[in-house]
């Protein structure tokens, strides 16, 4: 039985490694090495409860988690002592926490989100039983500000909970929160909450020279950032960050674990904060600045290679998402491109090289000639 199990595992590993070498359509960085952390997998560590309070379950990495949150607070322009957050299972949980917080602050609020918003948000709104209105998007994936203005104007008596896309799923578009705040000001909407889905771009905009407005100083009340995307990890993870004063609305003291219950989940991964912390220690902020620059350069190279080959392609400013005309199902499957309607996209993540881009473009060219 042990030999059979080993063969099964060896086969699965070979298959996943081969597939990973041709995964270009989804925002997961595969260029990482957490070998020094392997001994921690021998422990049943658990970050149950609020990372800023002691717990009866002391086999945890709460201290490491707090350091991770302080780093993200700095990146998102909020004072550490005013910030609160925790390491999540990924972007969906982070978005749920932000919208949950907005609904708790404004129970009669209306959530506004664009048609390019991540698919998880519709599910989250159903679970929260929150009132919501979908707003049209512009062709580049950014929200239609005129439609947003008119829709809020019609419903101006209700508090606004705005779901900002800081990098849309398919097109990498960034909603301009300064324009959204101007709309709220012009309509005299004083009761409002802005949650930002910055799953990928939350680790891009802090490292570019001319970023679009982002962060708490731009108007965020909460933000979700992924850990397995630009940072990279073998396990899905992320960070939810908000203002500390908001959390008291949902906090409950739980004697059983001796900690405040402020997160969406009870038991939480103690390994995920350790991975994110180790990545920051290994690369440093200057290292991520170089990584982001290389990714953007690769994305621009990809756009030019597609265009030179006669294949329509483009990207939004400060985005590593390259949008192209939808290729055949064979190409989509081979390179694991992400399709939607008449387009597809590839992501110039840290593990994507120019050689890989060349191979994708060459396959698309051959595919076009075959299907002409």
């Amino acid at each position: 039985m042990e030999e059979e199990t080993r063969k099964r595992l060896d086969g699965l590993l070979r298959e996943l490694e081969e597939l990973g070498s041709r995964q270009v359509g989804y925002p997961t960085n595969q260029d990482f090495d957490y070998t020094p952390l392997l001994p921690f997998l021998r422990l049943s560590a658990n970050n149950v409860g609020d990372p800023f309070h002691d717990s009866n379950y002391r086999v945890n990495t709460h201290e490491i988690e707090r350091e991770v949150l302080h780093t993200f607070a700095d990146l998102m322009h909020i004072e550490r002592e005013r910030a609160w957050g925790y390491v999540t299972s990924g972007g969906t949980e982070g978005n749920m926490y932000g919208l949950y917080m907005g609904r708790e602050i404004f129970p009669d609020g209306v959530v506004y989100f664009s048609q390019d918003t991540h698919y998880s948000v519709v599910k989250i709104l159903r679970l929260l039983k929150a009132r919501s209105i979908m707003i049209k998007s512009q062709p580049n994936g950014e929200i239609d500000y005129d439609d947003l203005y008119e829709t809020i104007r019609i419903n101006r008596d209700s508090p606004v909970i705005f779901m900002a896309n800081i990098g849309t799923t398919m097109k990498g578009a960034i909603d301009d929160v300064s324009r959204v705040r101007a709309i709220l000001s012009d309509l005299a909407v004083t009761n409002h909450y802005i949650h930002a889905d910055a799953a990928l771009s939350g680790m891009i905009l802090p490292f570019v020279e001319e970023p679009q407005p982002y962060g708490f100083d731009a108007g965020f009340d909460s933000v979700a950032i992924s850990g397995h995307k630009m940072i990279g990890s073998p396990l899905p993870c992320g960070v939810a960050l908000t203002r500390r004063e908001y959390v008291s609305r949902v906090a409950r003291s739980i004697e059983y674990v001796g900690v405040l219950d402020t997160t969406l989940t009870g038991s939480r991964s103690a390994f995920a904060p350790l991975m994110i912390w180790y990545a920051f220690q290994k690369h440093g902020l200057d290292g991520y600045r170089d990584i982001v620059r290389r990714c953007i350069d690769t994305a621009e190279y990809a756009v030019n290679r597609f265009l030179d080959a006669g294949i329509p392609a483009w990207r939004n400013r400060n985005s590593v998402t390259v949008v192209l005309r939808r290729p055949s199902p064979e190409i989509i499957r081979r390179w694991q491109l992400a399709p939607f309607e008449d387009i597809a996209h590839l992501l110039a993540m840290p593990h994507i090289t120019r050689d890989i881009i060349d191979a994708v473009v060459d396959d698309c060219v051959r595919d076009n000639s075959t299907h002409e």
Side-chain angles (χ1 to χ4, degrees):
M1 186 64 179
E2 289 184 4
E3 183 179 354
E4 183 178 332
T5 300
R6 173 50 56 191
K7 288 181 179 179
R8 178 74 182 275
L9 291 175
D10 288 345
L12 178 61
L13 180 60
R14 286 193 299 271
E15 179 185 5
L16 295 183
E17 286 177 337
E18 197 278 329
L19 288 170
S21 68
R22 292 184 285 107
Q23 198 288 92
V24 303
Y26 296 89
T28 55
N29 175 16
Q30 300 179 53
D31 184 16
F32 56 81
D33 181 6
Y34 293 107
T35 303
L37 303 184
L38 290 178
F40 290 91
L41 290 178
R42 296 197 297 263
L43 301 169
S44 181
N46 191 327
N47 277 21
V48 60
D50 192 308
F52 292 91
H53 291 81
D54 291 335
S55 169
N56 289 341
Y57 198 100
R58 296 173 59 192
V59 186
N60 64 53
T61 60
H62 276 169
E63 181 178 352
I64 290 289
E65 185 174 15
R66 290 192 293 271
E67 292 185 32
V68 168
L69 295 168
H70 287 157
T71 298
F72 278 105
D74 295 343
L75 293 175
M76 290 294 112
H77 304 156
I78 182 172
E79 298 88 345
R80 293 183 176 186
E81 60 273 13
R82 297 189 60 194
W84 184 92
Y86 71 101
V87 173
T88 66
S89 61
T92 296
E93 184 181 348
N95 285 335
M96 179 178 286
Y97 195 87
L99 292 174
Y100 166 56
M101 195 62 59
R103 192 206 62 182
E104 289 299 296
I105 295 172
F106 298 117
D108 58 340
V110 177
V111 179
Y112 297 85
F113 64 102
S114 81
Q115 64 188 96
D116 276 53
T117 298
H118 191 266
Y119 65 86
S120 67
V121 170
V122 173
K123 172 176 59 180
I124 291 167
L125 294 173
R126 287 203 303 267
L127 289 169
L128 294 176
K129 298 187 182 301
R131 298 164 61 202
S132 63
I133 299 176
M134 181 185 288
I135 306 298
K136 291 188 298 184
S137 293
Q138 301 178 58
N140 75 332
E142 196 172 345
I143 197 166
D144 187 316
Y145 301 101
D146 292 335
D147 189 31
L148 178 65
Y149 185 99
E150 287 303 312
T151 307
I152 293 178
R153 184 183 63 80
I154 295 170
N155 300 276
R156 62 187 296 179
D157 291 336
S158 298
V160 170
I161 302 171
F162 182 69
M163 176 76 201
N165 290 310
I166 308 301
T168 57
T169 305
M170 278 304 299
K171 300 175 181 177
I174 295 173
D175 295 335
D176 189 338
V177 291
S178 64
R179 291 188 65 177
V180 174
R181 292 179 68 188
I183 289 172
L184 297 174
S185 176
D186 188 64
L187 293 173
V189 177
T190 56
N191 291 331
H192 55 78
Y193 182 99
I194 297 178
H195 170 71
D197 179 359
L200 174 58
S201 292
M203 278 296 293
I204 294 178
L205 295 184
F207 303 107
V208 299
E209 291 185 1
E210 297 181 0
Q212 295 92 325
Y214 77 95
F216 286 81
D217 58 339
F220 291 3
D221 290 293
S222 57
V223 61
I225 304 171
S226 291
H228 57 286
K229 291 187 168 66
M230 186 56 70
I231 295 173
S233 76
L235 303 174
C237 58
V239 167
L241 201 65
T242 187
R243 301 180 188 275
R244 184 174 293 274
E245 62 264 28
Y246 295 163
V247 181
S248 60
R249 294 173 177 266
V250 300
R252 293 188 307 139
S253 180
I254 307 299
E255 183 180 6
Y256 170 65
V257 287
V259 72
L260 286 178
D261 182 25
T262 47
T263 65
L264 288 183
T265 54
S267 294
R268 296 187 295 109
S269 171
F271 196 65
L274 196 57
M275 289 188 296
I276 298 174
W277 176 88
Y278 179 78
F280 279 129
Q281 298 301 308
K282 180 178 180 180
H283 296 290
L285 298 185
D286 287 340
Y288 277 109
R289 188 168 288 105
D290 291 338
I291 289 170
V292 167
R293 177 184 50 77
R294 290 199 303 271
C295 290
I296 290 178
D297 287 347
T298 302
E300 186 63 16
Y301 175 81
V303 170
N304 292 329
R305 279 287 283 115
F306 278 116
L307 292 177
D308 289 344
I311 299 171
W314 57 276
R315 69 182 183 92
N316 277 297
R317 184 166 68 90
N318 290 327
S319 174
V320 299
T321 303
V322 177
V323 184
L324 62 144
R325 184 179 60 202
R326 182 170 181 153
S328 70
E330 293 84 1
I331 297 297
I332 289 173
R333 180 173 176 79
R334 182 182 306 158
W335 291 104
Q336 299 164 71
L337 297 172
F340 180 74
E341 296 180 348
D342 61 346
I343 63 171
H345 76 204
L346 66 81
L347 277 295
M349 301 303 289
H351 67 282
I352 300 298
T353 64
R354 294 192 174 196
D355 287 343
I356 293 175
I357 297 297
D358 290 340
V360 175
V361 173
D362 290 346
D363 272 0
C364 287
V365 170
R366 282 192 293 268
D367 181 68
N368 284 346
S369 62
T370 300
H371 290 86
E372 285 180 353

